[in-house]
Amino acid sequence: MRNPAVTSGDGAAPPSRASRTGTPGRVDGARLLDRIERFAAIGRGKDGGINRLGFSETDREARTCLAREARHAGLETVIDAGGNVLIRCPAGNGDRPSKPRVLIGSHLDTVANGGKLDGAYGVLAGLEVLETLNASATDTSCEVTVVAFANEEGALFPQPFWGSMVLAGRVDDLPSDPVDYSGKPLRDALALAGGDLSDLRSAAWPPGSLAAYLELHVEQGPVLERLGKPIGVVDSITGRTQFTVVIHGEPGHAGTTPMEGRRDPLITASHAIIAVQRLAREEELCRVATVGWLEVSPNSSNTIPETVRFSVDLRDSSAKRLAAAEATLSGALASVANRGDVRISVEGTIRTDPVQTDDRLREAIAASAKDLGLAYERLPSGAGHDAQVVANITSIGMIFVPSIGGVSHVPWENTAPDDLVAGADVLLQTVLRL
Ligand SMILES: [Zn+2]
């Protein structure tokens, strides 16, 4: 980490530590809910969707707002070279800065037209926990730091998990001079956000500097809501295999080319897409399999297409099962290509291994929920999170709260207020247990 680029001192008087004692049981739920609503107004579009694409102007506004609120709460903020916002107590909790720290947080950026909770909830609940600890002068055995990771979604600059990769020291896995979808350099956007592309390595946390990372997040799926349980103890974060399938056929006139002998890549694509779905549905080789993007060229109503490209996204909590699913699909693609007399290739394969959460942290989360009288369920995370990247350098734990209707990445993404507060209470109690 670099020295503070942003520090306290905007006029707010931090509460005096001497006057406060005692171990807090709960967070200030009203303060948390109010903060979530105020942050939801940053980047909100006409239809209620939130647009805070990583390193955009609205994203910067949210980060500035976070730093301001932290300072008003008497906390210190730092922006590292990767653009991550880090918040800590002025003197640490219990004045033990030399001990490994507990990191809690998530991200503030959103997808285009996304929801108010994905990411922001974990950051604001982290701030709420630290504010509660600081106000009660609680002596935790590890110093607690809150993080808002930069560009988790990768919605503008297609480098998802940017901030967590920098913090985890995986700078060599990132492009050296990234650009956004329109070709604008990340270097400039990062500088505006307080980071420095030429100094990324300074933001890596050395081995042993972290005792644990805890991330509180909305489930983004239907499991907890269906079970009627407010707390999820995440046991693993899904592994993922992504690639693009490219099918080359023979273009032709839709009116004059006889059906016999056509080499139509879109027909082959339709069979291939069914084969993708079959991997999860009938063959149960992986948990879910999705084709979410397709491009037809030349995409004209009276022309047999020449080329079709589509995405494949396979997810499972076992790397072995993912490999088996990928191999099966490769066989199925060869067979449909043969049948359609077209050529198929696969491009840009990215394999992300599944990550297990830490036993001890799972126990601590479950025990905290139990103490608070909250029902919980163990479940895997089907979505990717910064936690899976931070797992490169420390043990991780994740807490979920229910998503109403099981939906996320949409303007109506929501969670019941009581569940939002319950999740933050569990985060606080889990931190106190570590
Ligand atoms: Zn998220």
Side-chain angles (χ1 to χ4, degrees):
M1 253 186 319
R2 296 183 312 161
N3 287 325
V6 176
T7 52
S8 57
D10 60 347
S16 144
R17 286 177 68 82
S19 61
R20 300 155 289 140
T21 50
T23 302
R26 310 244 176 183
V27 300
D28 184 334
R31 183 170 62 191
L32 171 64
L33 296 175
D34 173 63
R35 203 170 258 153
I36 289 172
E37 287 314 314
R38 280 187 290 112
F39 273 76
I42 305 173
R44 179 151 51 199
K46 279 198 200 88
D47 62 351
I50 317 290
N51 292 281
R52 284 199 308 258
L53 313 193
F55 295 124
S56 66
E57 199 181 324
T58 47
D59 180 45
R60 281 205 305 278
E61 191 183 332
R63 297 150 49 84
T64 304
C65 184
L66 178 73
R68 190 172 53 233
E69 302 229 348
R71 290 194 301 272
H72 281 163
L75 304 166
E76 283 178 355
T77 67
V78 174
I79 296 175
D80 71 17
N84 299 311
V85 182
L86 299 156
I87 307 169
R88 45 170 286 182
C89 294
N93 315 102
D95 301 326
R96 292 186 176 90
S98 58
K99 279 202 160 188
R101 301 187 209 182
V102 172
L103 190 64
I104 56 177
S106 194
H107 58 96
L108 281 177
D109 65 307
T110 69
V111 294
N113 213 26
K116 65 180 178 183
L117 297 174
D118 176 0
Y121 170 51
V123 173
L124 300 178
L127 173 58
E128 177 55 42
V129 164
L130 193 59
E131 194 170 347
T132 303
L133 289 172
N134 190 47
S136 61
T138 302
D139 188 3
T140 53
S141 61
C142 292
E143 188 186 325
V144 180
T145 298
V146 176
V147 60
F149 283 117
N151 199 35
E152 189 265 0
E153 302 283 4
L156 177 60
F157 289 89
Q159 293 87 32
F161 305 113
W162 170 268
S164 44
M165 288 186 66
V166 171
L167 184 134
R170 288 177 54 186
V171 173
D172 292 332
D173 294 338
L174 294 168
S176 57
D177 219 342
V179 292
D180 74 3
Y181 282 107
S182 68
K184 286 201 192 100
L186 183 123
R187 181 179 293 278
D188 299 347
L190 180 59
L192 283 173
D196 181 355
L197 191 72
S198 54
D199 193 28
L200 289 186
R201 282 177 211 284
S202 70
W205 287 42
S209 60
L210 270 177
Y213 172 66
L214 285 170
E215 184 164 350
L216 171 63
H217 206 281
V218 287
E219 182 200 331
Q220 309 180 274
V223 177
L224 292 174
E225 185 182 61
R226 283 182 190 162
L227 293 169
K229 294 184 177 177
I231 298 296
V233 182
V234 176
D235 52 27
S236 63
I237 301 176
T238 193
R240 184 177 181 192
T241 301
Q242 304 156 263
F243 48 86
T244 302
V245 175
V246 186
I247 310 180
H248 299 279
E250 191 174 25
H253 193 293
T256 60
T257 314
M259 294 308 285
E260 194 58 42
R262 283 192 184 193
R263 297 169 58 225
D264 184 337
L266 190 52
I267 300 298
T268 301
S270 66
H271 293 298
I273 291 165
I274 298 291
V276 172
Q277 187 214 34
R278 207 182 296 131
L279 290 175
R281 249 224 144 109
E282 278 125 62
E283 297 163 358
E284 295 183 6
L285 289 167
C286 56
R287 189 173 53 82
V288 285
T290 307
V291 174
W293 171 86
L294 181 138
E295 189 181 74
V296 180
S297 170
N299 206 18
S300 151
S301 63
N302 54 9
T303 306
I304 301 164
E306 179 172 16
T307 313
V308 175
R309 310 164 74 90
F310 64 86
S311 62
V312 173
D313 181 313
L314 312 176
R315 302 195 194 201
D316 198 88
S317 51
S318 154
K320 230 165 132 185
R321 278 166 53 83
L322 276 175
E326 189 183 343
T328 301
L329 182 61
S330 148
L333 291 178
S335 133
V336 293
N338 241 336
R339 233 190 306 155
D341 195 18
V342 296
R343 194 159 51 81
I344 290 194
S345 58
V346 166
E347 288 178 356
T349 304
I350 302 172
R351 298 181 189 90
T352 311
D353 280 344
V355 169
Q356 307 299 314
T357 55
D358 180 68
D359 265 340
R360 183 180 57 106
L361 297 175
R362 282 202 296 268
E363 292 310 319
I365 295 166
S368 301
K370 210 171 155 207
D371 276 3
L372 290 161
L374 299 164
Y376 64 90
E377 180 73 19
R378 291 188 171 218
L379 77 173
S381 169
H385 296 289
D386 287 306
Q388 75 197 58
V389 179
V390 184
N392 285 292
I393 54 166
T394 190
S395 45
I396 58 154
M398 278 200 84
I399 306 162
F400 275 173
V401 293
S403 293
I404 294 173
V407 296
S408 182
H409 285 190
V410 290
W412 53 93
E413 167 190 280
N414 211 350
T415 295
D418 284 355
D419 292 342
L420 291 172
V421 175
D425 282 336
V426 171
L427 180 64
L428 170 65
Q429 289 304 318
T430 306
V431 166
L432 288 171
R433 259 168 215 279
L434 298 182

